[in-house]
Amino acid sequence: QSDPSFYEFLKENDSELLDFDEDASDLEDSVEEGDEYSMDEDDEPTGKPQKKSTSQKREKVLLTLDLIDQMIKEVQESGSTKAMKKLVVAYKSGCGFTEGVEEDNELPYRVASSEVFNHLMLVGITEFPSLFHRLFDIEEEHKEEELEYQEASSKKKSKKKFVRLQTRISKHERWNKLQSCVKSYLKSTIILLDQMTDPKITGFILRRVNQDILVYFACIPSIANKLLRVLIKFWSSGEETNRILAFIAIRDLTILTPYPFIDAALKSSYLTFVKNAKFTNRTTLSTVQFM
């Protein structure tokens, strides 16, 4: 869905996020249900899930601006995986929000206004990646090393051995605890990206995905394939800048994600090109030429 007020919100709060260069080249079921397990700070189950009758469903928690900021602050200060899981569940609740429509899901949170939706989506795209980086001990130097590695690979230069960014994440001691949380965040982000029709908002999300989130998709190839389908859609249609951003994301995702992801990327790209090239006209010719 496209939310015009989200675009206005971005312009008012950080207009630089929408200054695009026109020429520029699931939590698992146990978590999705909420906090049905009693967990300590290390997220070890200490009790059994409490069965709830359909007639006694727990009342949803109303998300507010203050509550969202409080949840983010808790993750920043405590580094708690449990707090991060709650935050991702809140984000997932927002991704399914439609103003004026009653939410029909089992998630423990609900969004009641566009203002809260806008804020939740903005922090979800801009701040969640840095929170995950902190939980997985990813430093700026690690990201710089990854960029140097990719640049050296493209130029076929000899390069020193080092640990790839996605390996640091997937081999981290917290990965098993947070994998389902990361998966839920990525799925929700795909839903958010896929439902956007406003080119400016789409471009904003694509830029943030390219900068900070692709490495997490590379850690879960099955989710990377889902993102690939959405990126192929934007690459083969729509506004020119977003086609370029989508192509850059496809390229970088292919570099990051282990084999055989490259086969799927090449096959999808080729079939989409053939489909678009089959029937061309004055309107579609420029898209086909770009592809």
Side-chain angles (χ1 to χ4, degrees), residues 17-226:
L17 293 175
L18 295 174
D19 289 338
F20 300 124
D21 181 0
E22 296 301 329
D23 299 321
S25 323
D26 170 282
L27 296 177
E28 298 300 334
D29 292 343
S30 61
V31 179
E32 290 177 345
E33 296 293 333
D35 294 327
E36 295 183 6
Y37 287 90
S38 172
M39 294 186 177
D40 57 21
E41 193 62 24
D42 291 329
D43 297 300
E44 296 296 336
T46 58
K48 296 182 179 180
Q50 299 296 319
K51 294 183 179 180
K52 297 182 292 183
S53 66
T54 55
S55 61
Q56 294 180 325
K57 288 185 178 181
R58 183 174 55 186
E59 184 177 350
K60 292 177 180 287
V61 176
L62 178 64
L63 288 170
T64 63
L65 301 179
D66 289 340
L67 178 58
I68 294 169
D69 291 341
Q70 180 183 339
M71 294 169 76
I72 293 174
K73 185 177 180 181
E74 182 181 356
V75 178
Q76 291 173 334
E77 293 180 348
S78 69
S80 166
T81 57
K82 181 178 178 181
M84 190 68 209
K85 289 177 180 180
K86 290 182 178 179
L87 194 55
V88 169
V89 172
Y91 175 72
K92 183 175 181 177
S93 301
C95 287
F97 169 74
T98 302
E99 190 168 22
V101 177
E102 185 71 21
E103 297 176 24
D104 184 21
N105 56 55
E106 296 298 320
L107 298 174
Y109 301 102
R110 68 184 180 90
V111 176
S113 70
S114 294
E115 182 183 18
V116 173
F117 167 80
N118 296 339
H119 183 62
L120 184 57
M121 295 304 100
L122 182 60
V123 299
I125 294 296
T126 60
E127 296 190 31
F128 281 26
S130 62
L131 296 178
F132 278 121
H133 286 351
R134 288 187 59 186
L135 291 171
F136 290 116
D137 300 319
I138 300 299
E139 306 289 347
E140 280 299 320
E141 63 184 69
H142 299 146
K143 292 188 283 185
E144 292 173 2
E145 286 179 350
E146 180 65 36
L147 291 174
E148 291 174 2
Y149 174 87
Q150 292 183 21
E151 183 178 355
S153 297
S154 66
K155 296 179 180 179
K156 297 183 179 180
K157 292 182 179 179
S158 59
K159 43 195 178 293
K160 61 180 181 179
K161 291 184 178 180
F162 81 103
V163 181
R164 298 291 303 274
L165 202 57
Q166 61 269 40
T167 303
R168 292 183 184 276
I169 294 170
S170 61
K171 298 297 183 182
H172 195 278
E173 60 183 6
R174 282 178 166 169
W175 178 246
N176 288 336
K177 296 178 181 178
L178 283 171
Q179 182 176 5
S180 62
C181 179
V182 172
K183 184 184 292 187
S184 180
Y185 171 67
L186 298 179
K187 283 187 174 182
S188 298
T189 300
I190 291 173
I191 291 172
L192 178 66
L193 178 61
D194 192 32
Q195 69 187 1
M196 286 299 170
T197 57
D198 185 287
K200 289 288 187 180
I201 300 178
T202 300
F204 161 69
I205 298 174
L206 284 171
R207 284 181 180 273
R208 300 305 302 196
V209 168
N210 289 350
Q211 292 173 13
D212 300 312
I213 310 177
L214 280 184
V215 66
Y216 292 98
F217 282 102
C219 294
I220 311 177
S222 61
I223 307 300
N225 278 299
K226 296 178 184 295

